[in-house]
Amino acid sequence: MTGGPKDGETEEEFLHSPFIRKQGNIYKPNNKDMDNESLNEKTMEDVHTKEIDLVNRDPKHINDDVVKVDFEDVIAEPAGTYSFDGVWKASFTTFTVTKYWCYRLLTALVGIPLALIWGIFFAILSFLHIWAVVPCVKSYLIEIHCVSRVYSICVHTFCDPLFEAMGKCLSSIRIRTSKEV
């Protein structure tokens, strides 16, 4: 691999082509005259260092069904039974700030360990799906193919003639319905 930009190369060229060297691609070292335009391989993206959106933290809307609770959804005073305006404002501020900081405190204390647990869980789930479930399903489909051929032969050999004969025997039966008034 390249150890850094060579003489005549800029830092930007080096950053955008880490797997290209003067002799060619490191995965195809016999290609001597390979450059960026003739490279037909996908550029590698590191999904672990991608930018995250700090404004829209639910871009796929996976938490739309979660209850979004505001002060007005929980506490409401009907007409004629109002508290003091100062109490109402203080209640609103207390509710909103408490909900905000409790959530932040819980995410700070429990969020990172839960992220670790969920990361391990989904890594195990992915591993099992890739290395156990898909191969088992493919194996099953290959094995069931033989069974389906035998079953198909049996149906065509025994059932098709039987049902065809029954159809021919019963094809002359006519049913007539009449409605009496």
Side-chain angles (χ1 to χ4, degrees), residues 37-60:
E37 287 77 34
S38 66
L39 184 61
N40 291 330
E41 297 176 9
K42 292 182 180 177
T43 2
M44 295 182 62
E45 273 187 35
D46 187 8
V47 294
H48 306 295
T49 59
K50 70 178 183 180
E51 290 286 326
I52 60 170
D53 188 358
L54 294 176
V55 177
N56 181 13
R57 296 189 182 187
D58 189 9
K60 295 183 180 179

PDB file of all heavy atoms in Angstrom, residues 37-60:
ATOM      1  N   GLU A  37      -9.558   6.521 -13.557  1.00  0.00           N
ATOM      2  CA  GLU A  37     -10.628   6.472 -14.541  1.00  0.00           C
ATOM      3  C   GLU A  37     -10.913   5.038 -14.999  1.00  0.00           C
ATOM      4  O   GLU A  37     -12.031   4.705 -15.339  1.00  0.00           O
ATOM      5  CB  GLU A  37     -10.270   7.329 -15.760  1.00  0.00           C
ATOM      6  CG  GLU A  37     -10.346   8.832 -15.502  1.00  0.00           C
ATOM      7  CD  GLU A  37      -9.138   9.338 -14.729  1.00  0.00           C
ATOM      8  OE1 GLU A  37      -8.033   8.815 -14.926  1.00  0.00           O
ATOM      9  OE2 GLU A  37      -9.324  10.224 -13.893  1.00  0.00           O
ATOM     10  N   SER A  38      -9.897   4.184 -15.035  1.00  0.00           N
ATOM     11  CA  SER A  38     -10.110   2.824 -15.516  1.00  0.00           C
ATOM     12  C   SER A  38     -10.472   1.860 -14.397  1.00  0.00           C
ATOM     13  O   SER A  38     -10.698   0.688 -14.644  1.00  0.00           O
ATOM     14  CB  SER A  38      -8.862   2.319 -16.248  1.00  0.00           C
ATOM     15  OG  SER A  38      -7.790   2.194 -15.329  1.00  0.00           O
ATOM     16  N   LEU A  39     -10.509   2.344 -13.191  1.00  0.00           N
ATOM     17  CA  LEU A  39     -10.829   1.480 -12.055  1.00  0.00           C
ATOM     18  C   LEU A  39     -12.322   1.225 -12.014  1.00  0.00           C
ATOM     19  O   LEU A  39     -13.114   2.147 -11.907  1.00  0.00           O
ATOM     20  CB  LEU A  39     -10.367   2.139 -10.754  1.00  0.00           C
ATOM     21  CG  LEU A  39     -10.541   1.337  -9.473  1.00  0.00           C
ATOM     22  CD1 LEU A  39      -9.734   0.048  -9.564  1.00  0.00           C
ATOM     23  CD2 LEU A  39     -10.104   2.141  -8.281  1.00  0.00           C
ATOM     24  N   ASN A  40     -12.744  -0.020 -12.136  1.00  0.00           N
ATOM     25  CA  ASN A  40     -14.162  -0.365 -12.175  1.00  0.00           C
ATOM     26  C   ASN A  40     -14.658  -0.905 -10.850  1.00  0.00           C
ATOM     27  O   ASN A  40     -15.748  -1.438 -10.778  1.00  0.00           O
ATOM     28  CB  ASN A  40     -14.431  -1.400 -13.271  1.00  0.00           C
ATOM     29  CG  ASN A  40     -14.242  -0.808 -14.638  1.00  0.00           C
ATOM     30  OD1 ASN A  40     -14.455   0.383 -14.835  1.00  0.00           O
ATOM     31  ND2 ASN A  40     -13.826  -1.633 -15.581  1.00  0.00           N
ATOM     32  N   GLU A  41     -13.882  -0.797  -9.802  1.00  0.00           N
ATOM     33  CA  GLU A  41     -14.295  -1.305  -8.495  1.00  0.00           C
ATOM     34  C   GLU A  41     -15.017  -0.209  -7.734  1.00  0.00           C
ATOM     35  O   GLU A  41     -14.783   0.969  -7.949  1.00  0.00           O
ATOM     36  CB  GLU A  41     -13.075  -1.771  -7.708  1.00  0.00           C
ATOM     37  CG  GLU A  41     -12.366  -2.929  -8.368  1.00  0.00           C
ATOM     38  CD  GLU A  41     -11.092  -3.313  -7.619  1.00  0.00           C
ATOM     39  OE1 GLU A  41     -10.882  -2.790  -6.524  1.00  0.00           O
ATOM     40  OE2 GLU A  41     -10.354  -4.121  -8.157  1.00  0.00           O
ATOM     41  N   LYS A  42     -15.884  -0.600  -6.830  1.00  0.00           N
ATOM     42  CA  LYS A  42     -16.614   0.366  -6.012  1.00  0.00           C
ATOM     43  C   LYS A  42     -15.648   1.009  -5.017  1.00  0.00           C
ATOM     44  O   LYS A  42     -14.733   0.380  -4.530  1.00  0.00           O
ATOM     45  CB  LYS A  42     -17.731  -0.330  -5.236  1.00  0.00           C
ATOM     46  CG  LYS A  42     -18.827  -0.848  -6.110  1.00  0.00           C
ATOM     47  CD  LYS A  42     -19.896  -1.471  -5.257  1.00  0.00           C
ATOM     48  CE  LYS A  42     -21.012  -1.988  -6.119  1.00  0.00           C
ATOM     49  NZ  LYS A  42     -22.034  -2.666  -5.351  1.00  0.00           N
ATOM     50  N   THR A  43     -15.890   2.266  -4.743  1.00  0.00           N
ATOM     51  CA  THR A  43     -15.098   2.913  -3.716  1.00  0.00           C
ATOM     52  C   THR A  43     -15.574   2.407  -2.372  1.00  0.00           C
ATOM     53  O   THR A  43     -16.751   2.247  -2.145  1.00  0.00           O
ATOM     54  CB  THR A  43     -15.283   4.436  -3.753  1.00  0.00           C
ATOM     55  OG1 THR A  43     -16.204   4.789  -4.735  1.00  0.00           O
ATOM     56  CG2 THR A  43     -14.004   5.165  -3.939  1.00  0.00           C
ATOM     57  N   MET A  44     -14.626   2.131  -1.508  1.00  0.00           N
ATOM     58  CA  MET A  44     -14.984   1.578  -0.205  1.00  0.00           C
ATOM     59  C   MET A  44     -15.423   2.707   0.710  1.00  0.00           C
ATOM     60  O   MET A  44     -14.778   3.734   0.783  1.00  0.00           O
ATOM     61  CB  MET A  44     -13.785   0.842   0.388  1.00  0.00           C
ATOM     62  CG  MET A  44     -13.396  -0.369  -0.414  1.00  0.00           C
ATOM     63  SD  MET A  44     -12.040  -1.252   0.329  1.00  0.00           S
ATOM     64  CE  MET A  44     -12.750  -1.718   1.886  1.00  0.00           C
ATOM     65  N   GLU A  45     -16.532   2.513   1.390  1.00  0.00           N
ATOM     66  CA  GLU A  45     -17.012   3.471   2.368  1.00  0.00           C
ATOM     67  C   GLU A  45     -16.948   2.833   3.732  1.00  0.00           C
ATOM     68  O   GLU A  45     -17.338   1.692   3.909  1.00  0.00           O
ATOM     69  CB  GLU A  45     -18.469   3.841   2.086  1.00  0.00           C
ATOM     70  CG  GLU A  45     -18.634   4.952   1.122  1.00  0.00           C
ATOM     71  CD  GLU A  45     -20.092   5.369   1.019  1.00  0.00           C
ATOM     72  OE1 GLU A  45     -20.819   5.325   2.032  1.00  0.00           O
ATOM     73  OE2 GLU A  45     -20.489   5.728  -0.093  1.00  0.00           O
ATOM     74  N   ASP A  46     -16.457   3.560   4.689  1.00  0.00           N
ATOM     75  CA  ASP A  46     -16.399   3.053   6.048  1.00  0.00           C
ATOM     76  C   ASP A  46     -17.665   3.479   6.763  1.00  0.00           C
ATOM     77  O   ASP A  46     -17.868   4.650   7.049  1.00  0.00           O
ATOM     78  CB  ASP A  46     -15.162   3.596   6.763  1.00  0.00           C
ATOM     79  CG  ASP A  46     -14.966   2.953   8.116  1.00  0.00           C
ATOM     80  OD1 ASP A  46     -15.695   1.992   8.436  1.00  0.00           O
ATOM     81  OD2 ASP A  46     -14.083   3.400   8.859  1.00  0.00           O
ATOM     82  N   VAL A  47     -18.560   2.516   7.027  1.00  0.00           N
ATOM     83  CA  VAL A  47     -19.841   2.838   7.645  1.00  0.00           C
ATOM     84  C   VAL A  47     -19.688   3.191   9.119  1.00  0.00           C
ATOM     85  O   VAL A  47     -20.614   3.724   9.717  1.00  0.00           O
ATOM     86  CB  VAL A  47     -20.845   1.675   7.504  1.00  0.00           C
ATOM     87  CG1 VAL A  47     -21.204   1.456   6.048  1.00  0.00           C
ATOM     88  CG2 VAL A  47     -20.317   0.410   8.119  1.00  0.00           C
ATOM     89  N   HIS A  48     -18.553   2.912   9.687  1.00  0.00           N
ATOM     90  CA  HIS A  48     -18.360   3.184  11.116  1.00  0.00           C
ATOM     91  C   HIS A  48     -17.980   4.635  11.371  1.00  0.00           C
ATOM     92  O   HIS A  48     -18.073   5.101  12.501  1.00  0.00           O
ATOM     93  CB  HIS A  48     -17.285   2.266  11.690  1.00  0.00           C
ATOM     94  CG  HIS A  48     -17.571   0.818  11.434  1.00  0.00           C
ATOM     95  ND1 HIS A  48     -18.656   0.172  11.976  1.00  0.00           N
ATOM     96  CD2 HIS A  48     -16.942  -0.094  10.664  1.00  0.00           C
ATOM     97  CE1 HIS A  48     -18.675  -1.081  11.571  1.00  0.00           C
ATOM     98  NE2 HIS A  48     -17.653  -1.267  10.759  1.00  0.00           N
ATOM     99  N   THR A  49     -17.540   5.350  10.354  1.00  0.00           N
ATOM    100  CA  THR A  49     -17.133   6.738  10.539  1.00  0.00           C
ATOM    101  C   THR A  49     -17.993   7.703   9.743  1.00  0.00           C
ATOM    102  O   THR A  49     -17.604   8.832   9.528  1.00  0.00           O
ATOM    103  CB  THR A  49     -15.655   6.927  10.128  1.00  0.00           C
ATOM    104  OG1 THR A  49     -15.511   6.548   8.759  1.00  0.00           O
ATOM    105  CG2 THR A  49     -14.735   6.124  11.008  1.00  0.00           C
ATOM    106  N   LYS A  50     -19.173   7.265   9.294  1.00  0.00           N
ATOM    107  CA  LYS A  50     -20.027   8.154   8.517  1.00  0.00           C
ATOM    108  C   LYS A  50     -20.584   9.249   9.408  1.00  0.00           C
ATOM    109  O   LYS A  50     -20.672   9.116  10.622  1.00  0.00           O
ATOM    110  CB  LYS A  50     -21.142   7.381   7.833  1.00  0.00           C
ATOM    111  CG  LYS A  50     -22.194   6.841   8.776  1.00  0.00           C
ATOM    112  CD  LYS A  50     -23.274   6.133   8.012  1.00  0.00           C
ATOM    113  CE  LYS A  50     -24.343   5.669   8.974  1.00  0.00           C
ATOM    114  NZ  LYS A  50     -25.411   4.988   8.291  1.00  0.00           N
ATOM    115  N   GLU A  51     -20.971  10.341   8.771  1.00  0.00           N
ATOM    116  CA  GLU A  51     -21.524  11.475   9.499  1.00  0.00           C
ATOM    117  C   GLU A  51     -22.923  11.123  10.001  1.00  0.00           C
ATOM    118  O   GLU A  51     -23.685  10.467   9.312  1.00  0.00           O
ATOM    119  CB  GLU A  51     -21.616  12.692   8.580  1.00  0.00           C
ATOM    120  CG  GLU A  51     -20.286  13.279   8.215  1.00  0.00           C
ATOM    121  CD  GLU A  51     -19.654  14.043   9.361  1.00  0.00           C
ATOM    122  OE1 GLU A  51     -20.380  14.663  10.155  1.00  0.00           O
ATOM    123  OE2 GLU A  51     -18.423  13.981   9.478  1.00  0.00           O
ATOM    124  N   ILE A  52     -23.245  11.549  11.207  1.00  0.00           N
ATOM    125  CA  ILE A  52     -24.586  11.337  11.735  1.00  0.00           C
ATOM    126  C   ILE A  52     -25.288  12.681  11.818  1.00  0.00           C
ATOM    127  O   ILE A  52     -24.657  13.717  11.987  1.00  0.00           O
ATOM    128  CB  ILE A  52     -24.575  10.635  13.113  1.00  0.00           C
ATOM    129  CG1 ILE A  52     -23.812  11.442  14.151  1.00  0.00           C
ATOM    130  CG2 ILE A  52     -24.017   9.251  12.994  1.00  0.00           C
ATOM    131  CD1 ILE A  52     -23.980  10.926  15.545  1.00  0.00           C
ATOM    132  N   ASP A  53     -26.585  12.657  11.673  1.00  0.00           N
ATOM    133  CA  ASP A  53     -27.395  13.862  11.710  1.00  0.00           C
ATOM    134  C   ASP A  53     -27.779  14.145  13.153  1.00  0.00           C
ATOM    135  O   ASP A  53     -28.517  13.379  13.773  1.00  0.00           O
ATOM    136  CB  ASP A  53     -28.647  13.657  10.850  1.00  0.00           C
ATOM    137  CG  ASP A  53     -29.445  14.928  10.669  1.00  0.00           C
ATOM    138  OD1 ASP A  53     -29.053  15.967  11.238  1.00  0.00           O
ATOM    139  OD2 ASP A  53     -30.464  14.873   9.966  1.00  0.00           O
ATOM    140  N   LEU A  54     -27.271  15.233  13.700  1.00  0.00           N
ATOM    141  CA  LEU A  54     -27.567  15.584  15.088  1.00  0.00           C
ATOM    142  C   LEU A  54     -28.869  16.358  15.230  1.00  0.00           C
ATOM    143  O   LEU A  54     -29.339  16.573  16.342  1.00  0.00           O
ATOM    144  CB  LEU A  54     -26.416  16.387  15.685  1.00  0.00           C
ATOM    145  CG  LEU A  54     -25.103  15.623  15.831  1.00  0.00           C
ATOM    146  CD1 LEU A  54     -24.009  16.544  16.350  1.00  0.00           C
ATOM    147  CD2 LEU A  54     -25.260  14.424  16.742  1.00  0.00           C
ATOM    148  N   VAL A  55     -29.477  16.765  14.120  1.00  0.00           N
ATOM    149  CA  VAL A  55     -30.740  17.484  14.177  1.00  0.00           C
ATOM    150  C   VAL A  55     -31.904  16.513  14.043  1.00  0.00           C
ATOM    151  O   VAL A  55     -32.776  16.447  14.901  1.00  0.00           O
ATOM    152  CB  VAL A  55     -30.800  18.574  13.085  1.00  0.00           C
ATOM    153  CG1 VAL A  55     -32.145  19.270  13.083  1.00  0.00           C
ATOM    154  CG2 VAL A  55     -29.678  19.580  13.292  1.00  0.00           C
ATOM    155  N   ASN A  56     -31.929  15.742  12.958  1.00  0.00           N
ATOM    156  CA  ASN A  56     -32.980  14.758  12.737  1.00  0.00           C
ATOM    157  C   ASN A  56     -32.437  13.401  13.174  1.00  0.00           C
ATOM    158  O   ASN A  56     -31.774  12.717  12.413  1.00  0.00           O
ATOM    159  CB  ASN A  56     -33.396  14.731  11.265  1.00  0.00           C
ATOM    160  CG  ASN A  56     -34.497  13.745  11.004  1.00  0.00           C
ATOM    161  OD1 ASN A  56     -35.131  13.249  11.928  1.00  0.00           O
ATOM    162  ND2 ASN A  56     -34.728  13.449   9.741  1.00  0.00           N
ATOM    163  N   ARG A  57     -32.732  13.010  14.387  1.00  0.00           N
ATOM    164  CA  ARG A  57     -32.161  11.783  14.945  1.00  0.00           C
ATOM    165  C   ARG A  57     -33.020  10.554  14.688  1.00  0.00           C
ATOM    166  O   ARG A  57     -32.690   9.467  15.136  1.00  0.00           O
ATOM    167  CB  ARG A  57     -31.911  11.964  16.443  1.00  0.00           C
ATOM    168  CG  ARG A  57     -30.875  13.044  16.688  1.00  0.00           C
ATOM    169  CD  ARG A  57     -30.462  13.104  18.111  1.00  0.00           C
ATOM    170  NE  ARG A  57     -29.498  14.182  18.318  1.00  0.00           N
ATOM    171  CZ  ARG A  57     -28.862  14.380  19.436  1.00  0.00           C
ATOM    172  NH1 ARG A  57     -29.074  13.586  20.464  1.00  0.00           N
ATOM    173  NH2 ARG A  57     -28.014  15.367  19.546  1.00  0.00           N
ATOM    174  N   ASP A  58     -34.124  10.725  13.998  1.00  0.00           N
ATOM    175  CA  ASP A  58     -34.968   9.591  13.609  1.00  0.00           C
ATOM    176  C   ASP A  58     -35.329   9.747  12.127  1.00  0.00           C
ATOM    177  O   ASP A  58     -36.488   9.928  11.775  1.00  0.00           O
ATOM    178  CB  ASP A  58     -36.227   9.552  14.480  1.00  0.00           C
ATOM    179  CG  ASP A  58     -37.042   8.288  14.300  1.00  0.00           C
ATOM    180  OD1 ASP A  58     -36.558   7.355  13.634  1.00  0.00           O
ATOM    181  OD2 ASP A  58     -38.162   8.235  14.825  1.00  0.00           O
ATOM    182  N   PRO A  59     -34.320   9.669  11.224  1.00  0.00           N
ATOM    183  CA  PRO A  59     -34.594   9.933   9.809  1.00  0.00           C
ATOM    184  C   PRO A  59     -35.487   8.888   9.154  1.00  0.00           C
ATOM    185  O   PRO A  59     -36.168   9.182   8.183  1.00  0.00           O
ATOM    186  CB  PRO A  59     -33.206   9.938   9.175  1.00  0.00           C
ATOM    187  CG  PRO A  59     -32.365   9.125  10.086  1.00  0.00           C
ATOM    188  CD  PRO A  59     -32.926   9.333  11.460  1.00  0.00           C
ATOM    189  N   LYS A  60     -35.533   7.683   9.683  1.00  0.00           N
ATOM    190  CA  LYS A  60     -36.370   6.633   9.096  1.00  0.00           C
ATOM    191  C   LYS A  60     -37.708   6.502   9.817  1.00  0.00           C
ATOM    192  O   LYS A  60     -38.469   5.589   9.554  1.00  0.00           O
ATOM    193  CB  LYS A  60     -35.620   5.302   9.117  1.00  0.00           C
ATOM    194  CG  LYS A  60     -34.396   5.335   8.229  1.00  0.00           C
ATOM    195  CD  LYS A  60     -33.695   4.016   8.193  1.00  0.00           C
ATOM    196  CE  LYS A  60     -32.470   4.109   7.296  1.00  0.00           C
ATOM    197  NZ  LYS A  60     -31.741   2.864   7.230  1.00  0.00           N
TER     198      LYS A  60
END
